[in-house]
Amino acid sequence: YLGPAGTFTHAAALKHFGKAATTVPLATITDVFREVEAGSAMYGVVPVENSSEGVVNHTLDGFLASDLKIIGEVELPIHHQFLVSEHTKLENLSKIYAHQQALAQCRHWLDTHYPNIERVAVSSNGEAARRLKSEWHSAAIAGDVAASEYGLHKLYENIEDSPSNTTRFLIIGRESVAPSGQDKTSILVSAADKAGALIQILQPLAKHGVSMTSIETRPERPNKWSYVFFIDMAGHMNDENMQAAIAEIRPQVKDIRVLGSYPKAVI
């Protein structure tokens, strides 16, 4: 999973696989893809979307260079805690560490409570929490797993500006998943460079009654001004209407790849 220990991705891994699973923190999303591709790990857990801040582009880009499949998803309500260590001197507080998305998700709370304290963006909320072990003039914004992992005290709880703040994580692996009855399917489509290209992708979905739940666009490297679409749909690849829609799309595009069919996340 995307580490270090104590990140929300760590929490998502524990939620999906349980605390008995062996979890390994890695420094980047690219590293997670690489370890699963190499067989060094059975599965990987990566963030893909936050309800407040939008899509995680590094995860989408990972699929452009990988043959791994999506085999599951986790939705995690994101609650940010304001953490201090046992030796933090609040009267001398000068820095607040957090991931840039956490800082954005707590902006109004910080403006109200600590408007004049420096906000320092770091690589993850787990890293923010880790730094407090050696600093007496700093605080961190992170989750419950980080507080437990690094032995920190929650000075304020649930400081996120939006109470419905949620992040979606993907479980990546090498096998396909059988239908569960409540599934989603994700596809990657490289559109042809012609007028109406997107319509030719979407019309077959509507024609065959396939409900699209999201669509994202990424540049198709190394081609300049070419794009790929990441599309999530309700249903499983084994469904007849899904197969009919994708069969109709295929001759209209440069390439189409099914990233996986997997059970919908349960909050």
Side-chain angles (χ1 to χ4, degrees):
Y1 67 90
L2 178 63
T7 61
F8 287 109
T9 313
H10 187 189
L14 295 177
K15 179 179 179 180
H16 189 82
F17 292 105
K19 293 184 178 179
T22 301
T23 56
V24 180
L26 296 174
T28 68
I29 288 171
T30 300
D31 290 339
V32 176
F33 273 85
R34 185 182 300 119
E35 288 296 288
V36 179
E37 286 175 333
S40 301
M42 292 179 67
Y43 306 106
V45 185
V46 289
V48 70
E49 185 179 13
N50 176 263
S51 59
S52 300
E53 297 301 308
V55 73
V56 180
N57 288 327
H58 286 167
T59 293
L60 297 186
D61 289 346
F63 288 106
L64 295 176
S66 172
D67 291 327
L68 291 178
K69 300 178 182 296
I70 302 170
I71 65 161
E73 67 172 358
V74 178
E75 287 189 4
L76 199 67
I78 302 299
H79 297 301
H80 293 298
Q81 321 299 354
F82 193 87
L83 305 177
V84 294
S85 72
E86 59 184 10
H87 51 260
T88 301
K89 296 182 180 179
L90 292 175
E91 65 275 14
N92 299 116
L93 197 64
S94 63
K95 289 182 181 179
I96 298 171
Y97 293 114
H99 187 272
Q100 60 183 7
Q101 284 208 353
L103 291 174
Q105 292 163 18
C106 302
R107 183 182 300 114
H108 297 306
W109 188 93
L110 290 169
D111 288 345
T112 300
H113 293 83
Y114 291 100
N116 300 316
I117 302 298
E118 182 184 6
R119 303 169 195 179
V120 181
V122 293
S123 59
S124 72
N125 292 334
E127 171 63 16
R130 187 192 66 79
R131 291 193 178 198
L132 298 198
K133 300 300 290 182
S134 59
E135 297 186 15
W136 54 266
H137 53 75
S138 303
I141 297 172
D144 289 332
V145 171
S148 175
E149 184 78 23
Y150 297 100
L152 302 176
H153 170 65
K154 290 188 280 188
L155 188 63
Y156 300 101
E157 296 187 53
N158 302 347
I159 66 171
E160 61 278 359
D161 296 328
S162 171
S164 61
N165 189 24
T166 303
T167 294
R168 177 178 171 231
F169 301 85
L170 297 178
I171 314 301
I172 56 176
R174 293 181 293 276
E175 74 269 24
S176 298
V177 181
S180 70
Q182 292 290 326
D183 298 295
K184 292 171 71 172
T185 295
S186 297
I187 60 174
L188 185 158
V189 183
S190 177
D193 186 13
K194 60 182 180 181
L198 182 56
I199 293 175
Q200 290 180 333
I201 296 171
L202 300 182
Q203 279 182 337
L205 300 182
K207 174 182 174 181
H208 294 282
V210 176
S211 176
M212 183 181 70
T213 58
S214 72
I215 181 169
E216 299 290 342
T217 308
R218 294 296 295 149
E220 185 181 23
R221 300 184 180 93
N223 302 324
K224 187 183 292 185
W225 314 125
S226 294
Y227 298 92
V228 294
F229 297 99
F230 291 86
I231 301 174
D232 291 338
M233 303 165 291
H236 194 278
M237 188 57 206
N238 287 1
D239 298 343
E240 289 185 7
N241 65 331
M242 184 78 71
Q243 292 183 3
I246 290 178
E248 196 167 313
I249 293 170
R250 196 175 298 278
Q252 306 294 333
V253 298
K254 289 192 291 185
D255 187 33
I256 182 169
R257 180 156 60 94
V258 178
L259 298 180
S261 294
Y262 46 91
K264 291 182 180 178
V266 177
I267 287 287

